[in-house]
Amino acid sequence: MSTGFRVLKRKQVASDELVAAFREVPVANISDSINRMFAGGADLRPLHDGTVLAGPALTVKCRPGDNLMLHYALDIAQPGDVIVVDAGGDLTNALTGELMITYAIKKKVAGFVINGAVRDSAAIRKGSFPVFAAGVTHRGPYKDGPGEINVPIAINGMVIEPGDLIVGDDDGFVAISLAEAAGILKKASAKHAAETKQLDDIANGTNSRDWVVNSLRSKGCFFEE
């Protein structure tokens, strides 16, 4: 096996039902439910119109500035896949742009997460195809390899296994391990329901703020009489 230049197969992928359920939960609530410990990094931003991203990860590890393996990943991607690319965060060369995105849309790919740069940002910004990237440059990529497909990758410390569930919105994106997805969904859905009720209470003037002063007192805060 040629480590560093290989294409593997995924052993499992997030189901359509799981993807649909997580699509209804804000990423912030998912993050709260995993103790706020995992994220793709604040610099990996959505560049599209804000459409929610959700789907199983097709992982790609590229040499910085080179998109040969990304092209092949796009050729083998299944409808609903999220192509997640670890290119080391390098912003020298764009790894994808309007042409590849148009092809991805035709193939019903769910979206791109690129730990690197993209180009044709005006077209991306006007469209609903989800694209998360670390930056933008007009300089195009090389196509020489090497690289790997369907291997574990890490983006800013967050490990992503092939087939893991990717969810992204305007706050960023998160990877969810399939082994823990059911429990995370239950917690995140409950958190979302609780926050929805809080918003209703604020609108109705029935929300309580007692927890703030109670927290201060429990931590020993001094209040002048």
Side-chain angles (χ1 to χ4, degrees), residues 11-15 18-19 22 55-57 161-166 175-184:
K11 303 300 187 290
Q12 57 181 349
V13 296
S15 68
L18 192 64
V19 171
F22 268 100
E161 297 279 350
D164 277 356
L165 177 60
I166 304 297
I176 301 161
S177 167
L178 294 186
E180 301 174 358
I184 293 171

Side-chain angles (χ1 to χ4, degrees), residues 68-83:
L68 178 61
M69 296 307 280
L70 173 54
H71 271 283
Y72 189 65
L74 185 52
D75 283 342
I76 65 174
Q78 298 298 305
D81 279 349
V82 177
I83 298 179

Side-chain angles (χ1 to χ4, degrees), residues 74 77-82 102-111 129:
L74 185 52
Q78 298 298 305
D81 279 349
V82 177
T102 301
Y103 181 46
I105 292 170
K106 182 69 173 180
K107 291 203 65 178
K108 302 187 185 304
V109 169
F129 182 80

Side-chain angles (χ1 to χ4, degrees), residues 4-39:
F5 205 6
R6 57 186 177 175
V7 177
L8 304 181
K9 294 183 178 180
R10 291 181 293 193
K11 303 300 187 290
Q12 57 181 349
V13 296
S15 68
D16 292 343
E17 293 76 16
L18 192 64
V19 171
F22 268 100
R23 190 184 296 276
E24 302 303 317
V25 184
V27 168
N29 294 146
I30 298 171
S31 182
D32 288 345
S33 300
I34 52 178
N35 292 304
R36 308 177 176 98
M37 288 294 292
F38 307 97

